[in-house]
Amino acid sequence: MATEQRKWAQVKREVSDLRGGLPLQPLTGMITPVRLQPPRTASGCVRGRAQAALPGRGSRGCRRGPPRRDGRRFPRTRKPTPPRENVLFGMGNPLLDICAVVDKDFLDKFEELVKKFKVEYHAGGSTQNSVKVAQWMIQSPYKAATFFGCIGKDKFGEILKKKAEEAHVDAHYYEQSEEPTGTCAACITSDNRSLVANLAAANCYKKEKHLDLEKNWKLVEKAKVYYIAGFFLTVSPEAVLKVAAQASANNKIFSLNLSAPFISQFYKEPMMKVMPYVDVLFGNETEAATFAREQGFETEDIKEIARKTQALPKVNTKRQRIVVFTQGKDDTVMATENEVTTFPVLVSDQSEIVDTNGAGDAFVGGFLSQLVYDRPVTECIRAGHYAASVIIKRSGCTFPEKPDFH
């Protein structure tokens, strides 16, 4: 009996040691076996016990980061934080895309389109297309992309709001009664598309009546990546400048698109007022060539144009400008502070190509979808190429339910 008591006392002392000095409490009722865990340090290592070194662990089994060049180790890196609501902000000319298959005799009777043919409606306009594609690539959360623009208080305006909601874009339109909602009719005859655009209300955006409102400006401040197509410089250059200055002052990313040759030609002054705030500039080869001529670059080499554009004066020197020029089926050109690089596009079977009109907008959307994750620009370009490759195989700037981008 004395021997059993001594053994029991020894067990209590050992268990007390393992529990950090806490005494063993009397047990009542049903006894449940418990696996006792040895004390650990704050870092999670077992106190007083060495473990065999594992890959990525120290001699005690603690995880450690990869070795640095000087032999020290960096902390472990975390996975990219998923984007939140309203992380991406876009502002531009919203148009309701109206698509229909028509006969050739109809092309001069645009007004009868909705009455005579079965039509499809899509939220359109260059910037809205891009933020719509970005939201599709991001998937979750909904409303990661915000959009501002002007529409009319009419039937087409209601359809446009519904279509933007279906695309999970957080659209906040300035609604007015003077002009009807802008539209873009896509009349499809066989393999051809005829586009008939009517900007209407899209031209009526008022900074002081919408952007300057506190509830709307809070959405601007909430974003960390901004995108505006150059087309909007024809509507409200003061609104573009205000958003660009906000981004620069807070070291956020402001991106702009050259959009069309006439923007560089006839809206050069407002464009060059915004340019010092631009962190990422998009354009295609035709737009780049016109921009170069207007700026007196004296070169037609697209790589040299990209390099000279990148070196233009910039307000926020914490971020060096990136210039990205697409060239259709030819390589995409990217200029950074240190180099000019080209990236091949994804090869598509010619027989699969349906409509290339939305390719540029889709490329920007794919690019922005990775930029909000702070991923490398090479990954942004890869995503842009993927998005464009999907859109050109469909009619209009449309896409399947989910992307297949990895």
Side-chain angles (χ1 to χ4, degrees):
M1 185 69 177
T3 302
E4 292 297 323
Q5 289 177 342
R6 285 195 297 272
K7 287 182 178 180
W8 177 237
Q10 177 65 24
V11 168
K12 288 197 292 183
R13 284 194 297 273
E14 291 178 355
V15 172
S16 178
D17 288 342
L18 286 173
R19 300 178 74 236
L22 296 175
L24 183 66
Q25 300 296 325
L27 299 176
T28 59
M30 183 177 294
I31 299 176
T32 303
V34 177
R35 181 179 179 182
L36 297 173
Q37 298 291 334
R40 295 177 179 268
T41 64
S43 64
C45 296
V46 178
R47 180 184 291 131
R49 180 182 297 176
Q51 295 183 357
L54 299 173
R57 293 180 182 264
S59 61
R60 292 191 174 189
C62 295
R63 290 193 178 274
R64 60 187 181 184
R68 303 195 325 185
R69 291 180 180 177
D70 59 5
R72 297 168 61 193
R73 292 194 172 255
F74 290 113
R76 296 181 71 199
T77 57
R78 296 181 179 180
K79 292 182 179 180
T81 304
R84 49 174 170 73
E85 286 188 8
N86 309 116
V87 69
L88 173 64
F89 176 84
M91 184 166 62
N93 299 334
L95 301 177
L96 179 64
D97 286 349
I98 307 172
C99 303
V101 177
V102 304
D103 52 61
K104 291 182 179 180
D105 295 335
F106 174 76
L107 291 181
D108 58 349
K109 301 176 182 178
F110 165 60
E111 293 81 5
E112 298 180 18
L113 179 66
V114 177
K115 297 177 182 178
K116 186 176 179 181
F117 296 94
K118 181 180 179 181
V119 301
E120 293 181 2
Y121 295 107
H122 304 286
S126 181
T127 301
Q128 191 164 224
N129 278 340
S130 293
V131 298
K132 190 173 68 171
V133 170
Q135 178 65 61
W136 169 67
M137 291 282 287
I138 293 168
Q139 287 284 301
S140 180
Y142 292 165
K143 298 184 178 181
T146 310
F147 179 76
F148 284 7
C150 182
I151 63 173
K153 293 181 179 179
D154 50 27
K155 176 186 174 182
F156 282 168
E158 292 302 313
I159 295 173
L160 184 51
K161 287 191 285 186
K162 180 182 177 183
K163 290 300 174 181
E165 184 179 357
E166 289 175 0
H168 309 303
V169 172
D170 192 19
H172 294 259
Y173 298 115
Y174 167 52
E175 300 180 45
Q176 49 75 59
S177 303
E178 296 177 7
E179 291 286 342
T181 298
T183 54
C184 180
C187 304
I188 305 164
T189 56
S190 185
D191 294 332
N192 302 309
R193 283 168 60 90
S194 299
L195 301 179
V196 185
N198 177 28
L199 292 179
N203 272 327
C204 299
Y205 188 85
K206 304 295 182 186
K207 166 182 166 291
E208 63 279 3
K209 292 184 178 181
H210 192 258
L211 184 68
D212 292 346
L213 298 183
E214 183 179 0
K215 64 177 182 178
N216 292 332
W217 188 248
K218 283 184 177 179
L219 291 171
V220 177
E221 293 177 322
K222 192 176 179 182
K224 75 172 188 178
V225 176
Y226 303 81
Y227 173 69
I228 300 177
F231 290 124
F232 203 60
L233 290 169
T234 71
V235 176
S236 183
E238 63 277 7
V240 179
L241 195 58
K242 182 175 181 178
V243 172
Q246 151 73 17
S248 181
N250 292 277
N251 195 29
K252 296 180 179 181
I253 302 172
F254 179 77
S255 52
L256 183 76
N257 202 313
L258 294 178
S259 293
F262 79 88
I263 302 294
S264 296
Q265 291 173 306
F266 305 112
Y267 294 88
K268 183 192 302 185
E269 183 179 349
M271 173 175 278
M272 296 317 294
K273 283 184 179 179
V274 174
M275 193 61 68
Y277 299 99
V278 176
D279 298 301
V280 184
L281 181 70
F282 298 100
N284 64 28
E285 72 277 29
T286 307
E287 296 154 3
T290 303
F291 181 78
R293 283 195 299 272
E294 294 298 321
Q295 295 301 313
F297 286 172
E298 297 182 348
T299 180
E300 295 181 357
D301 182 86
I302 193 164
K303 292 182 182 179
E304 187 64 11
I305 294 171
R307 188 189 66 78
K308 290 190 175 220
T309 304
Q310 191 282 330
L312 289 172
K314 194 169 185 300
V315 172
N316 181 14
T317 56
K318 295 177 183 177
R319 293 185 184 276
Q320 293 302 313
R321 181 181 291 117
I322 296 170
V323 176
V324 182
F325 291 149
T326 57
Q327 302 185 90
K329 61 182 176 57
D330 295 326
D331 291 358
T332 295
V333 176
M334 180 183 73
T336 63
E337 182 183 20
N338 301 317
E339 61 182 349
V340 178
T341 316
T342 58
F343 301 84
V345 301
L346 295 176
V347 178
S348 295
D349 190 324
Q350 194 67 27
S351 63
E352 296 180 329
I353 298 176
V354 175
D355 181 9
T356 60
N357 282 298
D361 295 339
F363 173 86
V364 171
F367 189 103
L368 296 174
S369 74
Q370 303 306 298
L371 198 59
V372 299
Y373 284 99
D374 293 320
R375 287 179 176 149
V377 287
T378 52
E379 193 70 3
C380 296
I381 287 178
R382 192 172 74 86
H385 286 162
Y386 166 77
S389 74
V390 172
I391 267 63
I392 62 175
K393 296 173 184 175
R394 303 169 67 91
S395 180
C397 191
T398 62
F399 33 76
E401 182 180 355
K402 292 185 177 182
D404 185 23
F405 177 74
H406 305 288

